[in-house]
Amino acid sequence: MGNTRAEPQHGALFLVGIGPGDPGLLTFRAAEVLSAVEVVVGYDLYVELVRPRFPGPEYLASPITQEVERARTAVTLAIGGRQVALIGSGDAGVYGLAGLALEHLERLDAAHLPLEVVPGVTAALAAAALLGAPLGHDFCTISLSDLLTPWTTIRRRLEAAAAADFVTVLYNPASRRRTVQLREAIALFLVHRPPETPVGLVSNGYRDGQAVRTTTLTALAEEHVDMLTTIIIGNAATRRWGARLITPRGYPNKGRENEQDRAEQETS
Ligand code: SAH
């Protein structure tokens, strides 16, 4: 540990989402924090994404499997008086480390520790932007990883999302060993949605090797999907326009009848 400047009362923990990868999508606040902290704790790949731009702090990088250890290390260092950023891709709280860190603080009853969660551009939003406007109406996100969640729970949520016509964003859709989950998810959606329902896939969004594709619900089974892919399944109104997906904000029969309501709802 090169930096001995910190005093115990100056410890603080920042849980920082660094966005999908592109430096332009790291928020201004995240950049401020990464310029100011003494230690950055993160997964190897994400450390390599930020280190060149923020050379000041000491970096503690570890492999992807060591999530719990990373969260604990960051908490321990912060309680010990250091200014620490625990980084995660996208938003640190969305299927990320922020919860692990907060749970650890909760166990230690360390509510006194200065803490800031810095939001980041999560994969759903990054993928949606690259695909156009697929999230123009109600949507939900579901992780297909059954490493930490029973498959029966994931299945129940998939069924509910499909039945309720949510645009559905699939995180962690498949890995080399885990491929049946996506096949089963497609089958569940086909019970409620037509085979030609538009689907978008983004792999390595805003990183080297970025690939953006659109397909249909039935043809999704033939696409190459891995852990660096986010999938967006359209709702009944989603349509393809060239390489883009559009989920309309309103429905044709819901037009002018209540301009006032509409004006109140518009936020942009
Ligand atoms: N905290 C992260 C999500 C972690 S779960 C966030 O908010 O984005 C990991 C999953 O996120 C991956 O399996 C993939 O589905 C998705 N993902 C993360 N980064 C991505 C990127 N750059 N392009 C496409 N998908 C990405």
Side-chain angles (χ1 to χ4, degrees):
M1 311 229 167
N3 198 328
T4 51
R5 177 157 52 94
E7 290 146 31
Q9 63 269 36
H10 289 156
L13 182 61
F14 299 87
L15 306 174
V16 181
I18 63 163
D22 186 293
L25 291 182
L26 185 127
T27 66
F28 192 81
R29 180 62 189 148
E32 274 182 346
V33 167
L34 293 174
S35 305
V37 292
E38 298 166 290
V39 187
V40 174
V41 180
Y43 160 47
D44 306 298
L45 179 71
Y46 305 143
V47 161
E48 289 327 311
L49 283 175
V50 301
R51 199 206 299 252
R53 196 168 150 205
F54 304 99
E58 175 187 346
Y59 282 84
L60 298 179
S62 55
I64 195 157
T65 46
Q66 291 174 22
E67 291 201 315
V68 175
E69 291 85 339
R70 268 204 297 286
R72 285 180 181 213
T73 302
V75 166
T76 306
L77 288 169
I79 288 178
R82 312 202 82 199
Q83 302 267 325
V84 183
L86 176 63
I87 59 171
S89 83
D91 181 277
V94 177
Y95 309 118
L97 292 165
L100 288 174
L102 283 177
E103 282 177 317
H104 195 49
L105 286 170
E106 184 187 36
R107 263 194 305 275
L108 298 174
D109 204 13
H112 61 278
L113 183 75
L115 173 85
E116 181 181 335
V117 184
V118 182
V121 177
T122 188
L125 303 184
L130 291 167
L131 287 162
L135 305 183
H137 215 283
D138 300 333
F139 70 95
C140 67
T141 72
I142 299 178
S143 166
L144 292 193
S145 172
D146 58 358
L147 297 179
L148 301 171
T149 308
W151 178 246
T152 47
T153 302
I154 300 170
R155 209 190 134 91
R156 187 156 43 84
R157 291 181 186 166
L158 287 166
E159 274 167 344
D165 199 35
F166 282 105
V167 173
T168 305
V169 185
L170 300 178
Y171 281 70
N172 299 307
S175 70
R176 229 171 296 153
R177 283 174 299 115
R178 211 167 43 73
T179 52
V180 292
Q181 287 83 356
L182 180 59
R183 277 208 299 276
E184 205 172 321
I186 295 169
L188 290 172
F189 270 80
L190 281 170
V191 173
H192 299 277
R193 292 186 204 183
E196 65 278 9
T197 300
V199 171
L201 300 96
V202 172
S203 302
N204 284 302
Y206 295 100
R207 290 184 194 164
D208 289 345
Q210 170 178 297
V212 181
R213 295 162 280 165
T214 56
T215 183
T216 63
L217 192 49
T218 31
L220 175 57
E222 280 117 59
E223 292 289 331
H224 173 75
V225 172
D226 59 20
M227 282 300 274
L228 289 166
T229 307
T230 297
I231 299 175
I232 302 186
I233 302 176
N235 69 11
T238 305
R239 54 183 190 262
R240 270 208 264 184
W241 175 56
R244 312 259 190 220
L245 297 185
I246 303 171
T247 300
R249 174 80 198 281
Y251 292 87
N253 58 346
K254 238 354 216 162
R256 317 217 104 72
E257 83 240 8
N258 203 335
E259 288 289 347
Q260 174 115 30
D261 269 10
R262 252 166 53 115
E264 277 168 13
Q265 278 175 21
E266 299 290 337
T267 51
S268 60

